[in-house]
Amino acid sequence: MAAAGALDRRQRRRQETIEEILDVAVAVMTEQGVAGLTLGEVARRMGIRPPSLYGYFDGKHALYDALFERGWRALQRVLEQAGATGDGADPLTAWREGTAVLVRWAVEHPAHSALMFWRPVPGFTPSARAYEPAVELDAASRVLLVRLRDAGHLAADVDVDRAYRTWTALVGGVISQQLSNAPDEPFESGTFTAVLPDVMDMWLGHHRSNPSAR
Amino acid sequence: MAAAGALDRRQRRRQETIEEILDVAVAVMTEQGVAGLTLGEVARRMGIRPPSLYGYFDGKHALYDALFERGWRALQRVLEQAGATGDGADPLTAWREGTAVLVRWAVEHPAHSALMFWRPVPGFTPSARAYEPAVELDAASRVLLVRLRDAGHLAADVDVDRAYRTWTALVGGVISQQLSNAPDEPFESGTFTAVLPDVMDMWLGHHRSNPSAR
DNA sequence: GTCTATACTACGATAGAC
DNA sequence: GTCTATCGTAGTATAGAC
């Protein structure tokens, strides 16, 4: 039992170090840009030497990969807490609020967002494991979209896939513009996040009256 | 006259070298990502040494700056050629076609677009000179938007600034999603560029019936 | 004037001592 | 587990050949 306790303690300590590395990396990325992350700067802020980081991550890309996965998992979590993926609430409310929560999270986590939504790092491609929560969230969003249609908020013959793609473009556009042009503005009063209600109305109106025909 | 001729010839030669550097840089950025540009790779492809590039550009950032400016100027040019900024055509047609030309140019010039619309390079901020065509295009777009309203295609009391911001978010979103998720698809059959007509209809419909109130 | 040669600093990464 | 030492390559800058 003593050995197991020591192992737990050691593993917990290790986990704490991993968390610290990731937190510091996010801070560096927020200040210097996602591609401006350097292992030297992370090590410097932690008071260790760059090679020591290799005891926790297999290089810089592994760090990006962990941040990519954690970003999607964190987004998943806030959406679940907002009740956006549950079956209880009215689909329309869930859709509207879920979208707002998504955009808020994105602008409040610019470094994660840039890594997740754009691909600013030359050689980096997320692993299948890191991609998993993104795929799950995609599937959950499509399910909710179907419920939105079945509840009569969208035209019965709407092209769900096309409508979903359109929605991602609109929401992604608001996030993109806000982060590129005014990253320091808060969600509530952002130059672009402020038009999110308009954008939602636009999308809902279009798919309520105008079906996918074109 | 002979001296002037020699000077012209020398300057022309120099200009050709500058163009070649920029072309090669775009090729590298297209393959490796905007932040993946290295002077060594540019020099290697041109058959020269990295320090030779300093005779034409004051380092990598100056190269980015020139590409930023040329990108906006090129976009300006194709929009003018499409008649999107002239006074002749119907404002609605000009707006629709101008938007399509913009999106097409963006997806067909991914390296330029990433540099112009996102900010993927850590230390780089475009100079005022490089920004000029972007500002001009912004102003021209707003003028056209006012003409669109005055021609009765938008509600008379529409908030022009807000409508313009919304438009940039929508169009930027389509470009963003297309370039991030399926950069190799052509404009005509792109997963996201294909919904551009829907997005345009949405935006026009919203501002025709629903004024800025909210 | 334009290039090559060379040097300096910083980065990511690995090997091996303690 | 962390360190020092080291490698290869990048961006940058200067000196000097032609």
Side-chain angles (χ1 to χ4, degrees), chain B residues 8-172:
Chain B
D8 284 356
R9 206 161 47 236
R10 201 152 42 210
Q11 287 223 346
R12 196 166 54 239
R13 175 98 176 77
R14 181 179 171 78
Q15 199 55 41
E16 284 171 7
T17 306
I18 288 175
E19 300 296 336
E20 188 186 350
I21 292 171
L22 292 172
D23 287 345
V24 172
V26 169
V28 175
M29 284 161 61
T30 303
E31 294 169 30
Q32 315 281 338
V34 172
L37 176 67
T38 69
L39 297 183
E41 183 61 25
V42 172
R44 201 171 299 125
R45 297 191 187 197
M46 291 181 66
I48 62 175
R49 304 285 163 184
S52 302
L53 295 171
Y54 282 79
Y56 305 94
F57 291 97
D58 287 338
K60 197 158 77 155
H61 281 12
L63 235 160
Y64 280 130
D65 207 55
L67 289 170
F68 184 94
E69 182 182 357
R70 272 156 198 264
W72 282 107
R73 289 218 183 281
L75 184 54
Q76 225 176 8
R77 201 176 334 115
V78 296
L79 285 171
E80 278 166 13
Q81 282 172 1
T85 55
D87 313 288
D90 171 47
L92 183 58
T93 307
W95 188 260
R96 277 191 180 281
E97 293 189 356
T99 302
V101 167
L102 163 61
V103 175
R104 174 192 285 275
W105 186 90
V107 300
E108 289 177 353
H109 298 80
H112 275 108
S113 294
L115 185 64
M116 292 156 62
F117 304 140
W118 311 338
R119 291 292 142 80
V121 183
F124 168 64
T125 314
S127 65
R129 175 197 159 91
Y131 232 112
E132 202 188 86
V135 174
E136 286 172 14
L137 200 52
D138 187 85
S141 300
R142 288 168 188 271
V143 167
L144 185 55
L145 181 51
V146 169
R147 289 184 53 222
L148 197 63
R149 182 199 60 189
D150 294 346
H153 297 298
L154 304 182
D157 63 344
V158 73
D159 183 335
V160 172
D161 184 63
R162 188 181 178 96
Y164 180 64
R165 285 197 323 259
T166 307
W167 177 83
T168 61
L170 302 195
V171 174

Side-chain angles (χ1 to χ4, degrees), chain A residues 29 32-38 60 64 114-115 120-122, chain B residues 35-36 119-122:
Chain A
M29 284 161 60
Q32 315 281 339
V34 172
L37 176 68
T38 70
K60 196 159 81 157
Y64 281 130
L115 185 63
V121 184
Chain B
R119 291 292 142 80
V121 183

Side-chain angles (χ1 to χ4, degrees), chain A residues 120-161:
Chain A
V121 184
F124 168 64
T125 313
S127 65
R129 173 198 160 91
Y131 232 112
E132 203 190 85
V135 173
E136 287 172 13
L137 200 53
D138 187 84
S141 301
R142 288 170 189 270
V143 167
L144 185 55
L145 182 51
V146 169
R147 289 183 54 223
L148 198 64
R149 182 200 59 190
D150 293 346
H153 296 297
L154 303 182
D157 63 341
V158 72
D159 182 336
V160 172
D161 185 64

